[in-house]
Amino acid sequence: EIVEGLGEFVVSDGCVGAELAAILNALDAGTYYLTARVEETVNYTAVEPYTVRFDVLVADNSWNVTPYIMQWNYGGYDKTLNVIEAEARYADENNPVRFTVSTDAAGKDVIGGLSAFVAPDGVVSDDVAAALAELDAGLYYLTSTVRATDNYGALAPAAMKFRISKAANYWDE
């Protein structure tokens, strides 16, 4: 099977053009075969086709931006200020970084409404924001994950401890 856009191409001085490089960089993990041939010219004889097998491996994933959440005082959660962020080297709209909030580092005691949510550009949905705003003062864990795909590995859950501080109390005259 010929990969779309790869058919026949010319290599000049051992380099491929930018368009071809982009196609090669976008290949899915798997096994491929490259057949090279040299056509006869006025000055050179033809060379029999030569086929080389090569593998595109599943890429290891890593965090470009370590998962974090901006902490707040009880009653003071604001989804535009208390952003939740993490950036995986490999993640996309079909397989985004997902977050879960729990009361234990293992991520087993998950808080209702705060499981496997996303935070595009660090901002959560209104439903998630409402659940975060209702949390009591205390210690929590934000767990971030990315599932494995055919092309890149998973990111094991990374738990980050965060605290919602008690609100300051005062007398109102």
Side-chain angles (χ1 to χ4, degrees):
E1 176 182 337
I2 294 177
V3 174
E4 186 175 328
L6 280 181
E8 289 192 13
F9 59 89
V10 176
V11 175
S12 177
D13 294 324
C15 298
V16 297
E19 186 177 319
L20 180 57
I23 293 169
L24 292 169
N25 280 328
L27 288 176
D28 289 333
T31 299
Y32 297 88
Y33 296 88
L34 175 67
T35 301
R37 71 174 152 269
V38 177
E39 308 241 341
E40 184 173 337
T41 68
V42 174
N43 296 317
Y44 297 98
T45 59
V47 176
E48 288 296 314
Y50 183 75
T51 301
V52 176
R53 174 190 158 166
F54 68 96
D55 295 312
V56 175
L57 303 176
V58 173
D60 289 333
N61 212 345
S62 59
W63 294 112
N64 287 341
V65 174
T66 304
Y68 73 94
I69 183 170
M70 300 294 290
Q71 301 181 86
W72 65 93
N73 291 333
Y74 175 77
Y77 178 79
D78 180 332
K79 77 177 194 173
T80 61
L81 297 175
N82 305 105
V83 295
I84 298 174
E85 291 203 58
E87 182 183 310
R89 181 172 183 195
Y90 300 108
D92 57 45
E93 63 277 353
N94 296 321
N95 189 26
V97 175
R98 296 200 175 271
F99 302 96
T100 297
V101 175
S102 63
T103 56
D104 65 303
K108 293 183 179 167
D109 191 12
V110 176
I111 296 171
L114 296 175
S115 177
F117 64 89
V118 295
D121 299 320
V123 179
V124 298
S125 69
D126 289 341
D127 291 344
V128 170
L132 287 167
E134 291 176 8
L135 292 176
D136 291 331
L139 186 63
Y140 298 92
Y141 295 86
L142 175 74
T143 303
S144 310
T145 59
V146 176
R147 290 186 339 264
T149 70
D150 292 340
N151 292 319
Y152 54 83
L155 280 173
M160 183 221 149
K161 183 172 25 175
F162 73 98
R163 180 173 299 284
I164 299 173
S165 300
K166 291 183 178 183
N169 207 353
Y170 55 90
W171 294 107
D172 194 18
E173 293 186 49

